[in-house]
Amino acid sequence: MTTPDELEQQHTLSTATTRYDELRMRDALAAMTADADNPPLSREEALELLALSEVVIRKAGYGRQAMVRSARGSGASWNQIGAALGTSKQAAWEAHNRWIEEQARQHELTGFEGLDPDEASDARGLAGRPD
């Protein structure tokens, strides 16, 4: 069986979305036409499509907080960032600050991954308050 964990190692975000789009289009055509030229997905393909949807969600989410940081660095307000994420400014700010703290803890544990103390301090300063 194909799992998101297996596919995540095999695909970049770009290749995962390309394969997802390919399978999704075939699935949609099969549902609309129901003819021999557009057969339905096999069980394996349907499960791959489902697993790929999870891979795309995961991979797109990995860089989200880095993008939030870039938006703050370019002068975006928390209101604007919240709107871009489809959430409130408070929820966007809280999620970003949780990410900063997780990155700081990761650095404490590994000594090299995550944000070192100076980087975490800079990130907190850039995040500011949600007002």
Side-chain angles (χ1 to χ4, degrees), residues 59-120:
K59 288 188 177 283
Y62 291 151
R64 174 175 277 170
Q65 293 308 320
M67 289 180 266
V68 167
R69 207 165 139 190
S70 293
R72 281 296 288 172
S74 70
S77 70
W78 283 109
N79 271 333
Q80 293 168 320
I81 292 168
L85 293 172
T87 189
S88 69
K89 67 180 182 181
Q90 184 70 31
W93 181 82
E94 288 173 1
H96 189 63
N97 277 278
R98 279 192 305 273
W99 174 79
I100 292 169
E101 296 312 314
E102 289 168 12
Q103 292 297 306
R105 271 192 300 282
Q106 188 175 21
H107 186 77
E108 288 174 12
L109 293 172
T110 66
F112 61 92
E113 292 178 350
L115 298 174
D116 69 30
D118 290 336
E119 292 168 328

Side-chain angles (χ1 to χ4, degrees), residues 40-60:
L41 298 179
S42 68
R43 178 186 304 149
E44 291 78 17
E45 289 170 323
L47 290 170
E48 180 185 3
L49 177 61
L50 186 59
L52 282 166
S53 71
E54 177 61 24
V55 170
V56 169
I57 290 166
R58 287 180 187 182
K59 288 188 177 283

